[in-house]
Amino acid sequence: MIKAAIFDLDGVIIDTAHYHYIAWKRLASEFNINLTIEHNELLKGVSRIRSLEIILELGNIHLSEEDKEKYANKKNAWFVEYIESIRPEEIFSGVKELIQNMRDQGIKVALASSSKNAPRVIELLKISELFDTMVDGTMITHSKPHPEIFLLAASRLVVSPAECVVFEDAEAGVEAALAAGMKCVGVGSPGQLGKANKVIAKTGDFRISELSAM
Ligand code: G6P
Ligand code: MG
């Protein structure tokens, strides 16, 4: 029986995945790498430094750890600049209502994002009160596809992994949820997220009544 829902942030609650993409694309162009939307799927859900490494591998470019740090910071400065214009209305339609309905029915709700910027995004959206707990990239050692972040969220909600359903737009996130022993709803295309227990086009499309069949 599902007792808790765990939501990823970027691409599930708001389209910040797009801001990550344009910031990485801008950085990649400095290395003469044309980062495509297909490449970008590999970056979703994984940590900042791992994302940079994936991009560098595309261009067969080798950097020192110090330089990697420098370029990761450069991308982050752009991302931070882009997100400052976020307004509360940018939350995906139906998401607030879905989470509120879940909580009204006694389902606990957590946010679990690999992003170290998640607290700022939540603050800008003014939705911190929607969650019983929030875990982000500053609290974990291993980013998705490792299950650590979801297991941490479940332990903070005091539920077992089998009682959790995760909402994820990233392939790495779906893998992490399944590796944690949780159910997973993929948000996006079935081609990309086929391993999830169910795939929906938009988070707001999910109906609470579907939980009993998970
Ligand atoms: C999320 C996003 C990734 C991003 C990662 C780290 O998982 O899906 O695209 O790289 O967070 O984000 P950060 O804000 O810490 O660089
Ligand atoms: Mg995401």
Side-chain angles (χ1 to χ4, degrees):
M1 192 186 131
I2 298 298
K3 290 189 182 166
I6 304 176
F7 288 83
D8 171 50
L9 174 64
D10 299 315
V12 168
I13 289 179
I14 178 174
D15 193 17
T16 32
H18 178 68
Y19 295 128
H20 280 294
Y21 174 52
I22 57 174
W24 282 127
K25 196 171 170 63
R26 186 169 167 187
L27 190 78
S29 72
E30 292 196 0
F31 294 99
N32 289 319
I33 297 168
N34 178 28
L35 192 77
T36 64
I37 287 187
E38 287 74 31
H39 293 142
N40 188 55
E41 287 302 318
L42 303 170
L43 311 181
K44 288 184 179 174
V46 305
S47 70
R48 192 180 307 166
I49 210 76
R50 184 64 202 130
S51 298
L52 174 65
E53 286 169 354
I54 293 170
I55 292 170
L56 294 174
E57 281 162 22
L58 290 171
N60 204 14
I61 291 159
H62 303 271
L63 293 182
S64 66
E65 293 306 311
E66 199 186 332
D67 279 346
K68 281 188 204 169
E69 193 73 26
K70 194 179 90 190
Y71 284 107
N73 288 342
K74 193 170 185 181
K75 177 267 175 181
N76 190 56
W78 290 328
F79 179 76
V80 166
E81 195 184 301
Y82 299 154
I83 62 170
E84 276 313 302
S85 61
I86 287 176
R87 289 164 294 111
E89 307 82 69
E90 285 176 62
I91 189 166
F92 287 148
S93 89
V95 172
K96 255 190 192 167
E97 295 78 1
L98 172 64
I99 294 178
Q100 203 49 64
N101 287 342
M102 283 174 163
R103 294 191 63 187
D104 290 347
Q105 296 199 14
I107 292 163
K108 292 180 182 175
V109 179
L111 181 85
S113 167
S114 304
S115 174
K116 293 178 175 160
N117 292 297
R120 181 64 182 143
V121 174
I122 293 298
E123 189 184 0
L124 288 162
L125 286 175
K126 300 188 179 14
I127 54 168
S128 61
E129 75 291 344
L130 280 182
F131 303 98
D132 292 294
T133 192
M134 293 188 268
V135 289
D136 64 57
T138 66
M139 303 173 185
I140 50 167
T141 316
H142 310 285
S143 89
K144 303 164 188 176
H146 194 283
E148 181 182 359
I149 195 162
F150 294 134
L151 294 173
L152 177 62
S155 88
R156 288 173 70 143
L157 292 175
V158 200
V159 292
S160 67
E163 294 170 326
C164 298
V165 61
V166 171
F167 290 78
E168 257 297 344
D169 70 316
E171 209 174 330
V174 173
E175 281 174 27
L178 300 179
M182 300 178 178
K183 295 285 191 278
C184 187
V185 175
V187 180
S189 82
Q192 209 84 50
L193 307 172
K195 290 185 194 149
N197 301 87
K198 182 180 176 62
V199 179
I200 54 179
K202 291 181 281 162
T203 313
D205 290 345
F206 192 79
R207 296 285 154 262
I208 286 207
S209 55
E210 298 175 88
L211 281 181
S212 54
M214 300 250 23

